[in-house]
Short mmCIF file of all heavy atoms in Angstrom, two decimals:
data_model
loop_
_atom_site.label_atom_id
_atom_site.label_comp_id
_atom_site.label_asym_id
_atom_site.label_seq_id
_atom_site.Cartn_x
_atom_site.Cartn_y
_atom_site.Cartn_z
N SER U 256 -10.55 1.49 5.72
CA SER U 256 -11.59 2.52 5.56
C SER U 256 -12.10 3.07 6.89
O SER U 256 -12.96 3.93 6.90
CB SER U 256 -12.78 1.95 4.78
OG SER U 256 -13.36 0.85 5.46
N ARG U 257 -11.56 2.56 7.99
CA ARG U 257 -11.97 3.03 9.30
C ARG U 257 -10.76 3.29 10.18
O ARG U 257 -9.75 2.61 10.08
CB ARG U 257 -12.90 2.02 9.98
CG ARG U 257 -14.33 2.05 9.43
CD ARG U 257 -15.04 3.34 9.85
NE ARG U 257 -16.39 3.45 9.30
CZ ARG U 257 -16.72 4.19 8.26
NH1 ARG U 257 -15.77 4.85 7.60
NH2 ARG U 257 -17.96 4.27 7.84
N TYR U 264 -6.57 6.39 7.61
CA TYR U 264 -7.61 5.65 6.91
C TYR U 264 -8.14 6.51 5.77
O TYR U 264 -8.01 7.73 5.76
CB TYR U 264 -8.75 5.25 7.84
CG TYR U 264 -9.62 6.40 8.29
CD1 TYR U 264 -10.84 6.65 7.67
CD2 TYR U 264 -9.24 7.25 9.33
CE1 TYR U 264 -11.66 7.71 8.08
CE2 TYR U 264 -10.04 8.30 9.74
CZ TYR U 264 -11.25 8.53 9.11
OH TYR U 264 -12.04 9.58 9.50
N SER U 266 -11.82 6.65 3.60
CA SER U 266 -13.16 6.09 3.49
C SER U 266 -13.33 5.40 2.13
O SER U 266 -12.63 5.72 1.17
CB SER U 266 -14.22 7.18 3.65
OG SER U 266 -14.24 8.03 2.50
N VAL U 267 -14.25 4.45 2.08
CA VAL U 267 -14.48 3.72 0.82
C VAL U 267 -14.88 4.71 -0.28
O VAL U 267 -14.43 4.60 -1.43
CB VAL U 267 -15.58 2.66 1.00
CG1 VAL U 267 -15.77 1.87 -0.30
CG2 VAL U 267 -15.23 1.70 2.13
N PHE U 268 -15.67 5.70 0.06
CA PHE U 268 -16.10 6.70 -0.92
C PHE U 268 -14.90 7.49 -1.44
O PHE U 268 -14.73 7.66 -2.66
CB PHE U 268 -17.12 7.65 -0.29
CG PHE U 268 -17.56 8.76 -1.21
CD1 PHE U 268 -18.54 8.54 -2.16
CD2 PHE U 268 -16.98 10.02 -1.13
CE1 PHE U 268 -18.95 9.56 -3.02
CE2 PHE U 268 -17.37 11.04 -1.99
CZ PHE U 268 -18.36 10.81 -2.93
N LEU U 337 -23.81 5.20 -4.30
CA LEU U 337 -23.72 6.40 -3.47
C LEU U 337 -23.21 7.58 -4.28
O LEU U 337 -23.69 8.72 -4.13
CB LEU U 337 -22.79 6.14 -2.28
CG LEU U 337 -22.52 7.31 -1.34
CD1 LEU U 337 -23.81 7.86 -0.75
CD2 LEU U 337 -21.56 6.88 -0.23
N ARG U 340 -26.02 9.04 -6.23
CA ARG U 340 -26.97 9.78 -5.38
C ARG U 340 -26.42 11.14 -4.97
O ARG U 340 -27.14 12.14 -4.95
CB ARG U 340 -27.29 8.95 -4.14
CG ARG U 340 -28.15 7.73 -4.44
CD ARG U 340 -28.14 6.76 -3.28
NE ARG U 340 -28.77 7.31 -2.10
CZ ARG U 340 -28.72 6.74 -0.89
NH1 ARG U 340 -28.04 5.62 -0.72
NH2 ARG U 340 -29.33 7.29 0.13
N GLU U 351 -32.89 11.50 7.05
CA GLU U 351 -31.88 11.16 8.06
C GLU U 351 -31.40 9.72 7.90
O GLU U 351 -30.19 9.45 8.02
CB GLU U 351 -32.47 11.36 9.46
CG GLU U 351 -31.47 11.09 10.57
CD GLU U 351 -32.03 11.39 11.95
OE1 GLU U 351 -32.33 12.57 12.21
OE2 GLU U 351 -32.16 10.44 12.76
N ASP U 352 -32.31 8.78 7.64
CA ASP U 352 -31.89 7.39 7.51
C ASP U 352 -31.01 7.18 6.27
O ASP U 352 -30.13 6.32 6.25
CB ASP U 352 -33.09 6.46 7.48
CG ASP U 352 -34.05 6.74 6.34
OD1 ASP U 352 -33.98 7.84 5.76
OD2 ASP U 352 -34.87 5.86 6.01
N GLU U 353 -31.21 7.99 5.24
CA GLU U 353 -30.36 7.91 4.04
C GLU U 353 -28.94 8.37 4.37
O GLU U 353 -27.96 7.77 3.92
CB GLU U 353 -30.94 8.77 2.92
CG GLU U 353 -32.23 8.25 2.32
CD GLU U 353 -32.72 9.13 1.20
OE1 GLU U 353 -33.19 10.25 1.48
OE2 GLU U 353 -32.64 8.71 0.02
N ILE U 354 -28.85 9.44 5.16
CA ILE U 354 -27.52 9.95 5.54
C ILE U 354 -26.81 8.94 6.44
O ILE U 354 -25.61 8.69 6.29
CB ILE U 354 -27.65 11.32 6.24
CG1 ILE U 354 -28.24 12.34 5.27
CG2 ILE U 354 -26.29 11.79 6.74
CD1 ILE U 354 -28.54 13.68 5.91
N LEU U 355 -27.54 8.34 7.37
CA LEU U 355 -26.95 7.33 8.25
C LEU U 355 -26.44 6.14 7.45
O LEU U 355 -25.39 5.57 7.76
CB LEU U 355 -27.97 6.88 9.29
CG LEU U 355 -28.32 7.90 10.39
CD1 LEU U 355 -29.47 7.41 11.24
CD2 LEU U 355 -27.10 8.20 11.25
N GLU U 356 -27.15 5.78 6.42
CA GLU U 356 -26.72 4.69 5.55
C GLU U 356 -25.40 5.03 4.85
O GLU U 356 -24.53 4.18 4.66
CB GLU U 356 -27.81 4.41 4.51
CG GLU U 356 -27.54 3.22 3.61
CD GLU U 356 -28.64 3.03 2.58
OE1 GLU U 356 -29.79 3.43 2.85
OE2 GLU U 356 -28.32 2.48 1.50
N MET U 357 -25.24 6.30 4.50
CA MET U 357 -24.02 6.75 3.83
C MET U 357 -22.80 6.68 4.75
O MET U 357 -21.66 6.62 4.28
CB MET U 357 -24.19 8.19 3.35
CG MET U 357 -25.20 8.36 2.24
SD MET U 357 -25.40 10.11 1.80
CE MET U 357 -26.67 10.01 0.53
N SER U 358 -23.01 6.70 6.05
CA SER U 358 -21.89 6.71 7.00
C SER U 358 -21.04 5.44 6.92
O SER U 358 -19.91 5.41 7.41
CB SER U 358 -22.40 6.90 8.43
OG SER U 358 -23.15 5.78 8.85
N GLU U 359 -21.58 4.40 6.31
CA GLU U 359 -20.81 3.17 6.11
C GLU U 359 -19.65 3.40 5.16
O GLU U 359 -18.62 2.71 5.22
CB GLU U 359 -21.73 2.07 5.56
CG GLU U 359 -21.03 0.78 5.19
CD GLU U 359 -20.55 -0.01 6.40
OE1 GLU U 359 -21.05 0.24 7.51
OE2 GLU U 359 -19.68 -0.87 6.22
N TYR U 360 -19.75 4.40 4.29
CA TYR U 360 -18.78 4.59 3.22
C TYR U 360 -18.08 5.94 3.25
O TYR U 360 -17.17 6.17 2.46
CB TYR U 360 -19.49 4.41 1.87
CG TYR U 360 -20.27 3.12 1.83
CD1 TYR U 360 -21.66 3.12 1.98
CD2 TYR U 360 -19.63 1.91 1.69
CE1 TYR U 360 -22.39 1.94 1.96
CE2 TYR U 360 -20.34 0.71 1.69
CZ TYR U 360 -21.72 0.74 1.83
OH TYR U 360 -22.41 -0.44 1.84
N LEU U 361 -18.51 6.85 4.15
CA LEU U 361 -17.91 8.17 4.26
C LEU U 361 -17.23 8.33 5.61
O LEU U 361 -17.53 7.62 6.56
CB LEU U 361 -19.00 9.26 4.10
CG LEU U 361 -19.76 9.30 2.77
CD1 LEU U 361 -20.88 10.32 2.85
CD2 LEU U 361 -18.82 9.63 1.62
N ALA U 362 -16.31 9.29 5.68
CA ALA U 362 -15.71 9.63 6.96
C ALA U 362 -16.80 10.17 7.89
O ALA U 362 -17.76 10.80 7.44
CB ALA U 362 -14.61 10.68 6.77
N VAL U 363 -16.64 9.92 9.20
CA VAL U 363 -17.70 10.24 10.16
C VAL U 363 -17.16 11.04 11.33
O VAL U 363 -16.06 10.79 11.84
CB VAL U 363 -18.35 8.94 10.69
CG1 VAL U 363 -19.37 9.25 11.78
CG2 VAL U 363 -18.99 8.16 9.56
N ALA U 364 -17.95 12.04 11.76
CA ALA U 364 -17.68 12.77 13.01
C ALA U 364 -18.94 12.70 13.88
O ALA U 364 -20.06 12.58 13.36
CB ALA U 364 -17.33 14.23 12.71
N VAL U 411 -28.04 14.71 12.68
CA VAL U 411 -27.45 13.92 11.60
C VAL U 411 -27.37 14.80 10.36
O VAL U 411 -28.35 15.45 9.99
CB VAL U 411 -28.29 12.66 11.31
CG1 VAL U 411 -27.77 11.94 10.08
CG2 VAL U 411 -28.27 11.74 12.52
N ALA U 412 -26.20 14.86 9.75
CA ALA U 412 -26.03 15.80 8.64
C ALA U 412 -24.99 15.28 7.65
O ALA U 412 -24.09 14.50 7.99
CB ALA U 412 -25.59 17.16 9.17
N LEU U 413 -25.13 15.76 6.41
CA LEU U 413 -24.15 15.48 5.36
C LEU U 413 -23.30 16.72 5.16
O LEU U 413 -23.81 17.80 4.83
CB LEU U 413 -24.85 15.11 4.05
CG LEU U 413 -23.93 14.77 2.87
CD1 LEU U 413 -23.18 13.47 3.14
CD2 LEU U 413 -24.72 14.66 1.57
N ALA U 422 -18.65 14.03 4.04
CA ALA U 422 -18.53 13.32 5.32
C ALA U 422 -19.89 13.35 5.99
O ALA U 422 -20.77 14.13 5.64
CB ALA U 422 -17.48 13.97 6.20
N VAL U 423 -20.05 12.48 6.97
CA VAL U 423 -21.31 12.39 7.71
C VAL U 423 -21.07 12.78 9.16
O VAL U 423 -20.06 12.42 9.77
CB VAL U 423 -21.88 10.95 7.64
CG1 VAL U 423 -23.02 10.77 8.65
CG2 VAL U 423 -22.37 10.65 6.24
N ILE U 424 -22.02 13.54 9.70
CA ILE U 424 -22.04 13.84 11.12
C ILE U 424 -23.24 13.10 11.70
O ILE U 424 -24.37 13.26 11.22
CB ILE U 424 -22.17 15.35 11.38
CG1 ILE U 424 -20.97 16.09 10.77
CG2 ILE U 424 -22.24 15.64 12.87
CD1 ILE U 424 -21.05 17.59 10.85
N LYS U 425 -22.98 12.26 12.71
CA LYS U 425 -24.09 11.49 13.26
C LYS U 425 -23.94 11.30 14.76
O LYS U 425 -22.88 11.53 15.33
CB LYS U 425 -24.19 10.13 12.56
CG LYS U 425 -23.05 9.17 12.84
CD LYS U 425 -23.36 7.82 12.23
CE LYS U 425 -22.29 6.80 12.64
NZ LYS U 425 -22.59 5.44 12.17
#
Side-chain angles (χ1 to χ4, degrees):
S256 61
R257 283 290 177 258
Y264 72 99
S266 72
V267 182
F268 177 82
L337 177 58
R340 289 165 66 190
E351 182 176 296
D352 60 342
E353 291 181 288
I354 297 174
L355 288 172
E356 184 182 333
M357 292 177 182
S358 67
E359 175 71 19
Y360 309 103
L361 299 174
V363 175
V411 173
L413 181 68
V423 167
I424 300 175
K425 68 173 187 175

